[in-house]
C-alpha cells in the first residue's frame, strides 16, 4: 500500500537531489542537512539498505541476554538465543504497536508487552495471548503474529551488525578493504576486545551526516576545534616536537562511503605516539604498544585519528570510543557511545580506560563538547533560507596530480588533511539516495 504523503516526499526529494553534491567540483549544498524530504529518502534508501551497528557481543553474552537499540528510527532488540545465535527483533508488538521490551538491557525468558499482555519468546514467536480461548476465533493463529525479525545479522570481530535488506552483500564484502582499518581497533592484541562500562546516550540538535562525515574525513578540525582540550590533556609521552617533520599521513576514501585518516611512523614504534597516553589510560604504556605492534604490524606504522563505517557508526580510535549517530529527523541525533578494551586488561586498566572516556568523550567530555558545539552552530545556520542554498567547499586534495598514495596502505591518498573521504562519503550517500527500487534492489557496496 502506497502512502501518498510519502510518495509526494519521494517525488520532491528526487528533484531536491539535483545538484546537491558534485564530487568533481567538491561542492555540497547545505539543504542536504535540513530538507525533510531528503531525510525521508535517507531512511528508506540508506538506513534500510545498509548494515547498521547493533551492539557488541559482550553486551549480550548469555542466552536470554538482550540489548535494546535502534536501526535509524526503528526500535530493535538484540537477543541471544538458546543456541548461542543472535536475533535482532523489531521492538514492536503486533497487537497495537507497543514496544515489547522497554528495558535498556538485561536477561529474560520472554518479552511480555506491557499494554495488553501478549508474550513473545526469545525468537520473537507469539506464545501467549490473554483470553485467547475466550475471544480468538478460528481464523486467529498465534504463529502468524510473531514480531518481525531483521533478516540479516552478522558479526565482525565481536561487533554485531544487522540489515533489513535481504539482497545486500554479506558484511565482510560490505566492509571490503576497509576491514584493514577497522582492525586497527578490533584486532590489535591476541585477547579479544570486549565492551566495558555503560552506554552514554545524549541528544545533539544536528544532522547525522555532520558527525558521520567528520569522523570519516575531517582530521583538520582537531588542531583548531580541540586546541584547548589538546593542550590541557597533553601527557608526558607526547614529544615536544610532535608531530615530527618526517611523519607522513594519509586519508582513506572508500567507494562504500567509509573513511578514515592516519599518520605513519617512519621509524615505527620509536616515534610512536597514538594518544594512548592521553589521560593516562595505560599503566604500562610501553608494554601495551609493543604487544599490539607485535600482533598487528600495521599498528607499528599508523596512528588513526578516527573513522566512520557508512552510514552512521564511528570510532575515536585513540581512546576506543565507539558511537552510533542515531538519526532523529533531519535536525537531531541521539548519540550512543561506549568503549571496548582488550579482554585481558587488568581491573586497574579497565578503570583508567573508563575514566579517560568519561573525561574526553562522554557528553561532558572535553573533546566531545567541542565537536557538538560546532555541529549545533552549523545546523542552526543551515536553517537560513539563503544559507541552505549556499554551496560548501569540500575540495582539499582535488586536482593534486602529484600525489601518490602509499601502495602498502590500500586505498589511501596522501595527507590526512585532504577531504577525499568526505567526497567519497557524500558520493556513496548520493548514489544510494538516487537508486530507486524495492527493498529487493541490490545496491553495490565497496
Ligand atoms: S499492544 Fe501489545 S499487547 Fe496490545
Ligand atoms: Fe573532534
Amino acid at each position: 500500500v502506497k502512502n501518498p504523503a510519502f510518495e509526494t516526499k519521494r517525488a520532491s526529494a528526487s528533484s531536491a537531489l539535483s545538484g546537491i553534491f558534485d564530487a568533481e567540483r567538491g561542492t555540497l549544498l547545505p539543504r542536504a542537512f535540513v530538507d525533510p524530504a531528503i531525510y525521508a529518502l535517507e531512511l528508506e534508501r540508506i538506513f534500510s539498505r545498509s548494515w547498521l551497528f547493533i551492539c557488541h557481543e559482550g553486551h549480550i553474552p548469555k542466552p536470554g541476554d538482550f540489548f535494546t537499540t535502534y536501526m535509524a528510527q526503528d526500535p530493535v532488540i538484540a537477543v541471544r538465543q538458546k543456541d548461542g545465535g543472535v536475533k535482532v527483533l523489531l521492538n514492536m508488538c503486533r497487537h497495537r504497536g507497543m514496544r515489547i521490551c522497554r528495558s535498556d538491557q538485561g536477561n529474560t525468558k520472554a518479552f511480555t508487552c506491557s499494554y495488553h499482555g501478549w508474550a513473545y519468546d526469545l525468537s520473537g514467536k507469539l506464545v501467549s495471548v490473554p483470553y485467547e480461548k475466550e475471544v480468538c476465533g478460528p481464523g486467529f493463529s498465534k504463529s502468524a503474529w510473531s514480531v518481525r525479525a531483521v533478516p540479516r545479522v552478522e558479526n565482525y570481530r565481536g561487533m554485531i551488525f544487522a540489515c533489513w535488506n535481504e539482497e545486500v552483500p554479506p558484511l565482510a564484502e560490505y566492509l571490503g578493504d576497509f576491514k584493514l582499518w577497522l582492525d586497527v581497533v578490533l584486532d590489535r592484541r591476541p585477547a579479544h576486545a570486549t565492551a566495558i562500562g555503560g552506554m552514554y546516550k545524549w541528544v545533539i540538535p544536528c544532522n547525522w551526516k555532520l558527525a558521520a562525515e567528520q569522523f570519516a574525513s575531517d582530521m583538520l578540525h582537531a588542531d583548531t576545534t580541540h586546541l584547548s582540550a589538546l593542550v590541557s590533556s597533553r601527557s608526558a609521552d607526547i614529544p615536544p616536537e610532535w608531530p615530527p617533520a618526517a611523519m607522513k599521513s594519509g586519508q582513506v576514501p572508500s567507494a562504500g562511503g567509509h573513511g578514515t585518516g592516519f599518520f605513519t611512523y617512519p621509524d615505527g614504534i620509536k616515534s610512536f605516539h597514538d594518544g594512548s597516553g592521553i589521560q593516562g589510560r595505560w599503566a604500562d604504556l610501553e608494554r601495551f604498544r609493543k604487544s599490539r605492534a607485535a600482533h598487528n604490524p600495521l599498528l607499528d606504522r599508523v596512528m588513526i585519528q578516527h573513522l566512520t563505517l557508512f552510514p552512521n557508526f564511528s570510532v575515536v580510535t585513540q581512546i576506543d570510543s565507539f558511537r552510533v549517530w542515531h538519526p532523529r529527523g533531519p535536525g537531531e541525533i541521539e548519540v550512543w557511545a561506549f568503549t571496548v578494551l582488550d579482554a585481558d586488561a587488568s581491573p586497574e586498566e579497565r578503570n583508567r580506560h573508563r575514566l579517560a572516556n568519561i573525561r574526553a568523550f562522554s557528553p561532558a567530555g572535553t573533546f566531545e563538547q567541542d565537536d557538538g558545539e560546532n555541529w549545533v552552530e552549523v545546523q542552526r545556520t543551515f536553517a537560513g533560507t539563503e544559507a541552505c542554498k549556499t554551496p560548501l567547499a569540500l575540495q582539499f586534495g582535488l586536482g593534486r596530480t602529484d600525489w601518490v598514495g602509499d601502495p602498502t596502505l590500500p586505498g589511501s591518498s596522501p595527507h590526512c588533511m585532504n577531504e577525499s573521504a568526505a567526497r567519497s562519503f557524500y558520493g556513496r550517500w548520493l548514489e544510494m539516495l538516487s537508486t530507486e527500487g524495492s527493498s529487493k534492489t541490490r545496491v553495490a557496496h565497496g
Side-chain angles (χ1 to χ4, degrees), residues 1-208:
V1 180
K2 290 195 169 177
N3 177 334
F6 200 73
E7 290 305 305
T8 312
K9 276 183 193 162
R10 189 198 307 257
S12 61
S14 295
S15 60
L17 290 179
S18 87
I20 202 152
F21 172 63
D22 185 332
E24 306 287 300
R25 293 174 53 230
T27 57
L28 176 70
L29 293 178
R31 196 175 67 241
F33 304 96
V34 294
D35 188 338
I38 288 179
Y39 178 71
L41 211 61
E42 288 176 339
L43 294 182
E44 189 194 5
R45 293 188 182 170
I46 292 179
F47 288 99
S48 288
R49 296 195 293 192
S50 295
W51 283 100
L52 302 180
F53 176 75
I54 302 296
C55 65
H56 188 271
E57 63 183 4
H59 287 124
I60 47 169
K62 298 188 302 293
D65 284 352
F66 66 86
F67 181 92
T68 55
T69 180
Y70 291 86
M71 293 175 72
Q73 294 205 207
D74 287 309
V76 294
I77 318 166
V79 53
R80 180 76 65 182
Q81 303 296 297
K82 288 189 185 134
D83 67 2
V86 173
K87 277 191 186 291
V88 178
L89 307 172
L90 185 64
N91 193 356
M92 173 184 156
C93 181
R94 297 299 302 278
H95 181 226
R96 288 293 189 283
M98 184 65 178
R99 282 193 298 151
I100 59 168
C101 180
R102 298 168 71 195
S103 305
D104 293 340
Q105 65 189 112
N107 183 278
T108 190
K109 291 191 166 60
F111 298 105
T112 304
C113 180
S114 57
Y115 199 164
H116 313 91
W118 285 26
Y120 302 85
D121 71 9
L122 295 181
S123 72
K125 262 185 11 212
L126 179 61
V127 289
S128 169
V129 173
Y131 299 105
E132 182 183 359
K133 281 204 181 70
E134 290 85 343
V135 297
C136 291
F140 180 85
S141 163
K142 289 204 291 293
S143 63
W145 297 100
S146 303
V147 290
R148 284 180 68 192
V150 185
R152 309 282 300 280
V153 180
E154 289 188 33
N155 178 325
Y156 184 71
R157 296 198 190 280
M159 297 283 162
I160 297 169
F161 290 81
C163 180
W164 281 107
N165 189 295
E166 306 207 33
E167 304 298 310
V168 299
L171 180 61
E173 198 181 315
Y174 180 86
L175 299 175
D177 284 347
F178 204 74
K179 282 203 291 283
L180 180 78
W181 304 99
L182 210 51
D183 283 353
V184 167
V185 267
L186 296 179
D187 184 32
R188 60 188 185 190
R189 294 177 70 190
H192 275 182
T194 190
I196 63 163
M199 180 74 70
Y200 301 114
K201 301 174 182 177
W202 70 100
V203 169
I204 304 178
C206 73
N207 186 274
W208 65 276

Side-chain angles (χ1 to χ4, degrees), residues 182-410:
L182 210 51
D183 283 353
V184 167
V185 267
L186 296 179
D187 184 32
R188 60 188 185 190
R189 294 177 70 190
H192 275 182
T194 190
I196 63 163
M199 180 74 70
Y200 301 114
K201 301 174 182 177
W202 70 100
V203 169
I204 304 178
C206 73
N207 186 274
W208 65 276
K209 297 186 292 300
L210 293 177
E213 177 241 296
Q214 179 184 292
F215 274 69
S217 172
D218 189 342
M219 311 296 145
L220 177 62
H221 80 281
D223 288 356
T224 311
T225 291
H226 299 304
L227 183 61
S228 61
L230 284 168
V231 169
S232 64
S233 67
R234 197 175 175 89
S235 58
D237 76 302
I238 303 179
E241 75 287 5
W242 196 88
M247 185 179 279
K248 294 209 165 56
S249 68
Q251 187 154 129
V252 185
S254 143
H258 325 304
T260 189
F262 59 85
F263 292 97
T264 60
Y265 300 88
D267 55 353
I269 212 160
K270 283 192 216 62
S271 64
F272 201 102
H273 164 69
D274 70 343
S276 299
I278 287 181
Q279 312 278 4
R281 277 193 301 151
W282 302 99
D284 183 348
L285 189 57
E286 215 44 40
R287 182 186 71 82
F288 166 74
R289 287 173 176 168
K290 284 194 174 131
S291 72
R292 61 186 228 168
H295 180 70
N296 182 341
L298 191 60
L299 292 170
D300 196 24
R301 294 184 53 206
V302 302
M303 181 272 275
I304 291 184
Q305 301 238 98
H306 37 72
L307 62 85
T308 286
L309 209 58
F310 191 85
N312 65 332
F313 181 52
S314 300
V315 187
V316 188
T317 55
Q318 293 182 52
I319 201 153
D320 305 326
S321 174
F322 291 67
R323 59 261 321 281
V324 184
W325 320 107
H326 291 294
R328 292 287 176 269
E332 190 170 288
I333 54 173
E334 206 172 298
V335 188
W336 287 31
F338 67 101
T339 185
V340 304
L341 186 58
D342 309 298
D344 63 352
S346 67
E348 192 208 344
E349 281 174 330
R350 279 180 180 237
N351 200 39
R352 282 166 173 254
H353 202 87
R354 192 180 62 79
L355 291 174
N357 265 269
I358 292 171
R359 284 193 291 259
F361 279 99
S362 69
T366 44
F367 289 81
E368 194 80 58
Q369 293 181 76
D370 294 337
D371 286 327
E373 188 178 345
N374 286 338
W375 302 334
V376 171
E377 186 82 22
V378 165
Q379 187 75 25
R380 225 181 260 148
T381 301
F382 291 165
T385 311
E386 294 303 320
C388 87
K389 54 189 183 198
T390 302
L392 303 169
L394 288 72
Q395 302 187 329
F396 293 166
L398 266 185
R400 288 297 297 251
T401 49
D402 55 320
W403 277 8
V404 182
D406 184 337
T408 65
L409 297 171

